[in-house]
Amino acid sequence: QIYYLAVKKSLAEIAYKLGNHTLMCEANDALTVALTAQSANLDDATCEGYEADLAKLEGGRFYLTEQFDSAEYALHKAIRLNPDPLSDFAYKVHDELAQLYYRQERYAEALGELELILHNPPFSASSRRKASTAERMDILSQQAMCLARLGRHKAALKAIDYVLKQYTLTTERRNMAEALRKKGKILMLQYQHMGKARCRSASARCYQEYLDVAKDYVDTALAHLTPSEQEQFWVAEQPFIADAYRLEEQDPALLYDLALFSKALLLRGQRARVDWHDVQHHMPDSSCAIEFIVYERDSSQHIAAIIIAKQAEAPQFVHLARVSDLFDLPLLPDVDVKRVLSNRVSSGN
C-alpha cells in the first residue's frame, strides 16, 4: 500500500508538470481514497506527510483550472501540514506559491516567496541537501523577472546576468537559452518603462540567440516526440513568440524567421532551420513574400505584415491595424468583417 500511495503521488506530480488536469484529478482522487483506507495502518508522521503531499497536489490542480484562491489555500495548508524548512517539500511549495502570485500579477508577493527560498534550505549552507545548479538558477531567474515587473530593472539584469554566467560553465544550452529569453523580456520591460532604444535592440539579440537554440532542438528532437509532447512544446514557446513580436520594426528579419519557426511547429515539420534568406533565394524575380502576424501591444491585439522583396536587403515590418478595428471595415454596404465572420461561425463554415 505504501508503494501504491507513492506511485499515485508520482503520477499526479507528472500530470501536473504536463498540464494534464484530467489525469491529475484521477490520480489525486485515487490517492485520497487510498490514504483514507490506509490511514489506520500508517504512523502519524507518514499519514501527515501524505496529507501534505495531497494538499500540494490539490493546489496544483486548482492552479491548472485557474481557481487561484483555492490553489493558494491548498498550498498554505500543505505548508501547515509539513512546515519543516529543511525539506525539499517546503522549497517546492513556496516555488509554486511564487508562480501562483506571479500569474496573478502579485509580483511583490511572488518575490517574497522566492527570497524566502533563497535564504532558507535547500539553498543555505545548513541544508541537509544542497540545491542543484539548475534549481538555484531557476529560482534566481524567477527572481529577476519579478524584479523587472516591479520596475527594478537594474537589479533584474544583474540577477539574470549572474544566471547566464553560471550556465556558461555548464553544457545546459537549453537552460541558458531560457535565461536569454528572460533577459530579452526584462530588456523589453525596461524599454517599455524608459523608452531607451538600446534596450529593445539588446532584447532582439537575446531573442535571436534563443531562437537559434530552439531551432536546433526542433530539428533534432521534434520528430521523435509524440503528438502530445509536440503540442506541449508549442504551448511552451508561446510566451517567447508573443514577446518577440512586440519588437515590431526593430528587427523584421527576426520576426519573419520566427513566423517560419511557428509554422514548422504547427505543421509538425522538420524544417525549422529555414530562414528569410532561404525564402528570398527561391522567390521568382519581381515577387514578394508576406507573413502576417498577430501580437499584443498596449493591451490590445494588433496585426502586421512582414514583407520580403526579391531584391531587398532585409524584410520590412508594416503595422496594419488593431484587430478590433479590422472588424469594422466595410466589405459591402451594411456588411462589415465582423458580420461576415459571425455568419461563417454560426453556419459552421
Side-chain angles (χ1 to χ4, degrees):
Q1 288 300 322
I2 291 293
Y3 289 131
Y4 180 82
L5 290 170
V7 168
K8 287 299 179 183
K9 171 191 163 185
S10 295
L11 181 60
E13 289 172 340
I14 292 169
Y16 173 65
K17 289 181 179 179
L18 294 175
N20 190 324
H21 179 259
T22 301
L23 180 59
M24 189 174 189
C25 287
E26 293 174 356
N28 278 20
D29 290 344
L31 182 59
T32 301
V33 171
L35 186 59
T36 301
Q38 292 298 315
S39 59
N41 301 324
L42 302 174
D43 60 74
D44 291 344
T46 302
C47 189
E48 195 167 81
Y50 273 107
E51 288 175 353
D53 289 331
L54 186 58
K56 174 180 175 294
L57 291 168
E58 286 294 291
R61 181 170 70 89
F62 287 127
Y63 178 84
L64 291 179
T65 54
E66 299 186 358
Q67 300 178 67
F68 296 139
D69 289 343
S70 297
E72 184 176 0
Y73 176 83
L75 291 173
H76 280 295
K77 178 182 177 181
I79 291 176
R80 290 196 301 272
L81 289 169
N82 187 356
D84 180 8
L86 294 172
S87 66
D88 287 350
F89 181 84
Y91 143 62
K92 292 175 181 177
V93 174
H94 285 297
D95 187 19
E96 290 193 21
L97 277 169
Q99 294 178 52
L100 174 65
Y101 293 146
Y102 190 93
R103 178 79 178 275
Q104 298 176 86
E105 300 183 2
R106 296 160 62 181
Y107 302 122
E109 291 171 90
L111 182 61
E113 294 294 330
L114 295 169
E115 290 180 343
L116 183 63
I117 293 172
L118 291 170
H119 287 91
N120 286 282
F123 296 87
S124 70
S126 61
S127 174
R128 290 196 296 255
R129 183 192 67 82
K130 292 294 291 181
S132 68
T133 298
E135 289 172 327
R136 183 171 176 78
M137 294 307 105
D138 178 59
I139 297 301
L140 288 172
S141 62
Q142 290 184 60
Q143 181 192 44
M145 291 302 303
C146 289
L147 289 168
R149 290 290 189 179
L150 292 169
R152 298 165 60 183
H153 303 110
K154 185 176 181 179
L157 288 170
K158 181 179 179 180
I160 202 66
D161 281 340
Y162 174 79
V163 171
L164 286 166
K165 182 179 179 181
Q166 296 304 305
Y167 278 133
T168 60
L169 306 175
T170 72
T171 58
E172 297 288 342
R173 192 164 180 239
R174 282 281 294 171
N175 288 339
M176 185 171 181
E178 181 62 20
L180 279 167
R181 183 189 71 80
K182 289 179 178 177
K183 182 174 181 178
K185 176 68 173 180
I186 292 167
L187 288 163
M188 278 297 292
L189 290 170
Q190 187 177 26
Y191 165 75
Q192 291 166 8
H193 181 74
M194 304 177 69
K196 293 182 178 179
R198 62 179 177 81
C199 295
R200 196 160 65 146
S201 60
S203 178
R205 289 194 296 273
C206 291
Y207 286 152
Q208 182 64 66
E209 289 187 60
Y210 178 88
L211 180 59
D212 289 341
V213 175
K215 285 181 176 181
D216 285 342
Y217 178 79
V218 169
D219 281 342
T220 57
L222 194 64
H224 304 291
L225 300 180
T226 66
S228 176
E229 290 169 335
Q230 290 175 350
E231 182 178 356
Q232 289 158 23
F233 181 78
W234 164 246
V235 170
E237 292 302 302
Q238 291 311 292
F240 162 62
I241 294 170
D243 287 340
Y245 281 161
R246 291 176 184 148
L247 290 168
E248 298 183 304
E249 73 282 355
Q250 173 64 44
D251 196 337
L254 170 61
L255 301 195
Y256 195 95
D257 290 349
L258 186 56
L260 295 178
F261 176 69
S262 299
K263 284 184 176 180
L265 294 179
L266 286 169
L267 299 175
R268 307 292 190 258
Q270 300 180 50
R271 298 295 305 281
R273 270 290 162 196
V274 174
D275 62 19
W276 75 269
H277 293 98
D278 299 313
V279 174
Q280 187 183 54
H281 177 71
H282 289 88
M283 287 166 51
D285 292 338
S286 303
S287 65
C288 67
I290 304 174
E291 289 288 339
F292 293 96
I293 63 171
V294 176
Y295 63 101
E296 184 177 332
R297 187 183 77 188
D298 301 328
S299 301
S300 62
Q301 295 290 312
H302 291 251
I303 186 168
I306 311 171
I307 305 168
I308 301 177
K310 179 64 175 179
Q311 304 301 327
E313 294 183 358
Q316 181 181 3
F317 179 92
V318 180
H319 176 263
L320 298 176
R322 284 196 299 266
V323 172
S324 58
D325 292 341
L326 291 179
F327 291 156
D328 298 327
L329 288 176
L331 299 176
L332 296 169
D334 300 322
V335 178
D336 58 21
V337 173
K338 185 176 182 180
R339 182 176 178 183
V340 171
L341 292 176
S342 298
N343 289 340
R344 288 181 65 85
V345 171
S346 61
S347 65
N349 294 322

